[in-house]
Amino acid sequence: MTHVTAVFWPLTDIRSGSIPDEAKVFLAELANATETKIKVATAEQLSGEDPIEGQKVVVHLAFLPGAILAFEKAVRDGLEDTVDNFARFVSEYFSNFLDFRKRWIGGSDVKSTPKLNLNAMRLTPAKTLNPVLNALAPEKHGTTPLLTTDAERFCAPLLPLLDRLVPDTFRHNNEDVITGLRTLKLPRHVVQQTYQNIMGRDATNAQIILLQGLPTIDRLRASLDASKKDPKQVGLSDRDIQTSYNIFLGRAPSPQEMERVKNTHPDITSLRQVFLKSSEFSAQYKNIAGAQSAANVQQSTPATPFKNITKFQPAKEDRVVFLHIPKCGGTTLHNMLSYWFGQSNVHSERLNGLYGHTGASLASAMVFSGHYDHYATTLIPGPKKMITFLRDPLDRLVSLYNFHRAHSPSIIERHNLVLPRWANEHDVDSYFEHPVIRNSPAINNTMVRYFSDVPQIGRYHETGAAKEISLDEMLEQALRNLEKFAFVGFMDQYEADMKRLAATLGCEPPSKVKKHQVLDDLMDSSPDMRKIAKQKPTAQSRDDMEELVAYDRILYAHARELLK
């Protein structure tokens, strides 16, 4: 069988349109290491082909450098070399990229396609290259990872090539144009036709590029419908832009930034994607210090443990309410609360069903522990001591995916479990790429939703007044609500924080924390779970997933700051 390395544009020299010597050296090393025959091809050469079942493909996906390459070739063939022609060309060329990605990355025959990330190769060569080698020759590399020194030797020839493929050095690096082209999501012809159908006229080139940045066709239609009703509401308002800068970057935009954003971003989603990949956002929210020492933590005043609680009597002490975000160590904490206060004092509701309980039922318990949204906890009578545990938002999503994937088909069908069914049918990368998954409140910035003032039950969040509440507003609510919590713990310092929680509640700290609902244990012991190999998203997928945790990451960073 021939193993095909689809050399997607960045491995092709922009100036000559040929495979440069650096790439040839790398591919020769790759062929030798995997003992496979490698066919070198550009995306254009593969445009008329489809994957063959069982064929192994290595692809590097990077749209803009490839589009620049294609534009250079078009200029050599006679296209006038102007920034306007460049913007139009790239906008049209995006359809080629989508077609290639769909057939060579998203097809059922190539679900396990390794994807090279050249920038990641520069930083972590062994981590980036090993999955490729393992996929091409699992019998040789599956159990013996390539040494870091060897990986660096593999990658070294490509590094000079990277410096020649940076769009920022391109002669048409107009900031407004490049910003818009980095966020393309929809094919140009789809935007053109939709605009014409709804607005009854042709869109300008700038309008098309702006609208190509919308994430879905439904969003495109909704945006055009709104602008047709009120032309003044096209694009982002000054308030939208100022609020976004304040939330994501912690500062106000300059007048120049205000004007540029209005001309290049159709909505907050498009703007958010740029913020997520900016070094300014990264410095502010992705490098928050990890564990906090107990000496630096301001402890709450210890309370007296509950004893001899009488049912239906006015509470003389604060009720303990644990807001349990999924995959944040909550089952372990629930068992500890039951041990500390007695199972009979813990309310039976474990899911988000407090809305269906009577006042008498809620008044009968002194401890509440479940997947409640914050709004539901306001129904609990009397003073409350709110507690929670949080986890790095991206790690939480990956853990949730593996937990769902491990559900047995029988329990999925018996209870019609939608997300576990999707996890069973998709690998981790395609799962988090799917628009249905990305739009699910159980996936998209879930932590902020649960800490906000919006009930997360049924379809309430999609109807009525709740539908008008944006994630920006929910984040403001969540930040405000979080500051009222008596205790916030973190998964990466679980043992230490359990002791800190014991002090907060006036309970005996555990000598050792016995963890519950650990996936490895569940796969061995639970009849409703099955054995799986845990999956990790690729570096590219993790970058794409940042949009799903953008608001959660701000909430998480704020929680860390509260402990300082």
Side-chain angles (χ1 to χ4, degrees):
M1 174 170 48
T2 299
H3 299 288
V4 179
T5 296
V7 184
F8 198 40
W9 308 301
L11 292 186
T12 310
D13 195 307
I14 282 179
R15 296 164 300 180
S16 65
S18 62
I19 305 297
D21 292 339
E22 301 99 325
K24 290 177 181 177
V25 172
F26 168 75
L27 295 170
E29 293 279 5
L30 185 63
N32 181 60
T34 56
E35 298 178 357
T36 60
K37 180 181 178 182
I38 292 181
K39 172 185 173 183
V40 178
T42 65
E44 288 86 352
Q45 291 168 338
L46 291 171
S47 62
E49 299 182 21
D50 286 317
I52 301 171
E53 186 174 357
Q55 188 177 45
K56 295 182 179 180
V57 185
V58 181
V59 177
H60 174 63
L61 288 176
F63 168 65
L64 199 52
I68 291 174
L69 162 69
F71 175 73
E72 295 281 37
K73 183 176 184 302
V75 170
R76 291 197 300 271
D77 292 341
L79 180 66
E80 186 179 358
D81 187 13
T82 66
V83 67
D84 289 337
N85 278 350
F86 168 68
R88 179 183 291 274
F89 181 91
V90 174
S91 169
E92 293 172 345
Y93 204 66
F94 188 62
S95 295
N96 294 30
F97 172 78
L98 293 178
D99 177 66
F100 180 88
R101 186 174 65 181
K102 179 180 179 181
R103 290 187 299 110
W104 287 88
I105 300 298
S108 59
D109 295 332
V110 287
K111 281 185 177 179
S112 60
T113 300
K115 305 173 189 66
L116 286 174
N117 184 318
L118 296 186
N119 289 321
M121 235 183 229
R122 183 198 295 272
L123 300 174
T124 55
K127 182 179 179 181
T128 305
L129 189 57
N130 277 333
V132 176
L133 295 174
N134 293 341
L136 289 177
E139 66 287 347
K140 184 174 182 180
H141 294 282
T143 56
T144 309
L146 194 69
L147 296 177
T148 302
T149 53
D150 291 332
E152 291 172 346
R153 174 177 60 81
F154 263 85
C155 301
L158 292 178
L159 300 185
L161 182 60
L162 278 175
D163 296 331
R164 304 206 302 270
L165 294 170
V166 178
D168 293 343
T169 64
F170 184 54
R171 64 184 175 281
H172 293 319
N173 182 29
N174 178 291
E175 188 172 13
D176 294 340
V177 172
I178 292 292
T179 299
L181 296 177
R182 285 186 188 277
T183 61
L184 299 183
K185 292 289 185 296
L186 298 175
R188 182 183 178 92
H189 69 277
V190 171
V191 173
Q192 278 179 315
Q193 189 60 56
T194 306
Y195 190 96
Q196 194 173 55
N197 291 345
I198 294 177
M199 306 300 289
R201 62 180 185 274
D202 291 334
T204 66
N205 187 53
Q207 287 173 324
I208 291 176
I209 294 175
L210 186 69
L211 294 170
Q212 279 184 272
L214 291 171
T216 66
I217 296 175
D218 286 342
R219 286 283 286 279
L220 170 64
R221 293 194 187 102
S223 177
L224 292 177
D225 285 336
S227 65
K228 187 175 182 180
K229 294 175 183 177
D230 186 359
K232 295 180 180 179
Q233 295 303 314
V234 177
L236 293 170
S237 67
D238 289 352
R239 184 178 182 276
D240 289 334
I241 299 171
Q242 290 164 350
T243 300
S244 295
Y245 265 85
N246 182 54
I247 288 175
F248 286 98
L249 302 183
R251 65 176 178 84
S254 68
Q256 294 79 8
E257 288 172 325
M258 288 284 292
E259 188 63 28
R260 182 170 67 249
V261 167
K262 285 183 180 180
N263 293 329
T264 55
H265 294 286
D267 64 1
I268 289 177
T269 299
S270 172
L271 179 59
R272 182 171 69 209
Q273 291 169 347
V274 172
F275 284 152
L276 290 176
K277 295 181 180 180
S278 71
S279 58
E280 190 174 352
F281 177 86
S282 179
Q284 197 153 325
Y285 294 115
K286 294 179 70 174
N287 299 316
I288 301 298
Q292 305 288 330
S293 66
N296 293 332
V297 177
Q298 183 177 357
Q299 303 284 359
S300 300
T301 303
T304 304
F306 307 137
K307 295 179 180 179
N308 303 319
I309 298 171
T310 304
K311 303 294 183 183
F312 307 112
Q313 295 297 319
K316 295 181 180 180
E317 302 170 26
D318 293 348
R319 286 176 166 84
V320 172
V321 181
F322 170 38
L323 197 156
H324 176 189
I325 299 296
K327 309 316 297 173
C328 290
T331 303
T332 299
L333 178 52
H334 174 82
N335 282 272
M336 185 58 68
L337 291 172
S338 299
Y339 169 76
W340 279 335
F341 301 114
Q343 183 62 49
S344 63
N345 292 322
V346 180
H347 198 278
S348 60
E349 182 58 60
R350 298 283 286 116
L351 302 176
N352 197 21
L354 293 179
Y355 296 95
H357 288 268
T358 65
S361 169
L362 297 176
S364 68
M366 291 300 291
V367 179
F368 293 78
S369 169
H371 295 301
Y372 315 137
D373 57 54
H374 187 269
Y375 190 94
T377 67
T378 65
L379 304 175
I380 299 170
K384 293 177 283 289
K385 194 182 292 290
M386 301 290 296
I387 65 175
T388 194
F389 262 81
L390 299 178
R391 183 178 193 170
D392 177 86
L394 207 58
D395 291 343
R396 192 192 75 83
L397 279 190
V398 176
S399 176
L400 184 66
Y401 165 81
N402 284 307
F403 178 69
H404 283 162
R405 187 175 177 82
H407 280 60
S408 67
S410 59
I411 192 173
I412 290 174
E413 294 308 315
R414 188 161 66 247
H415 297 285
N416 191 28
L417 303 176
V418 177
L419 292 181
R421 180 180 291 114
W422 277 88
N424 267 246
E425 296 173 355
H426 294 74
D427 65 30
V428 65
D429 291 334
S430 60
Y431 180 83
F432 286 112
E433 286 175 0
H434 201 285
V436 173
I437 298 299
R438 295 179 73 86
N439 289 327
S440 170
I443 299 295
N444 190 310
N445 292 288
T446 304
M447 286 161 51
V448 162
R449 295 177 191 275
Y450 268 75
F451 278 91
S452 75
D453 295 334
V454 180
Q456 301 296 307
I457 54 173
R459 292 190 172 273
Y460 177 85
H461 53 274
E462 298 176 1
T463 60
K467 190 176 181 180
E468 305 303 321
I469 301 177
S470 67
L471 270 170
D472 298 290
E473 293 173 289
M474 282 192 266
L475 175 61
E476 292 179 7
Q477 296 167 358
L479 293 173
R480 181 180 65 247
N481 291 334
L482 183 70
E483 292 180 355
K484 299 174 185 176
F485 273 57
F487 172 88
V488 179
F490 299 93
M491 284 287 287
D492 61 356
Q493 53 191 50
Y494 201 82
E495 295 272 351
D497 277 357
M498 284 294 283
K499 294 178 181 179
R500 182 165 62 88
L501 175 61
T504 300
L505 299 179
C507 299
E508 185 68 26
S511 57
K512 183 175 178 59
V513 177
K514 182 180 179 181
K515 295 184 178 180
H516 297 267
Q517 285 290 90
V518 177
L519 183 55
D520 289 337
D521 296 338
L522 288 174
M523 290 190 294
D524 287 332
S525 61
S526 174
D528 292 329
M529 306 294 278
R530 64 189 179 102
K531 277 278 191 181
I532 63 162
K534 294 180 183 177
Q535 296 187 16
K536 295 182 179 179
T538 62
Q540 180 62 53
S541 290
R542 288 184 71 90
D543 286 345
D544 293 341
M545 288 168 63
E546 281 295 333
E547 181 182 352
L548 303 178
V549 298
Y551 292 89
D552 283 354
R553 197 172 286 289
I554 296 173
L555 182 76
Y556 183 77
H558 186 65
R560 288 286 198 188
E561 290 294 322
L562 291 176
L563 284 180
K564 288 184 177 180

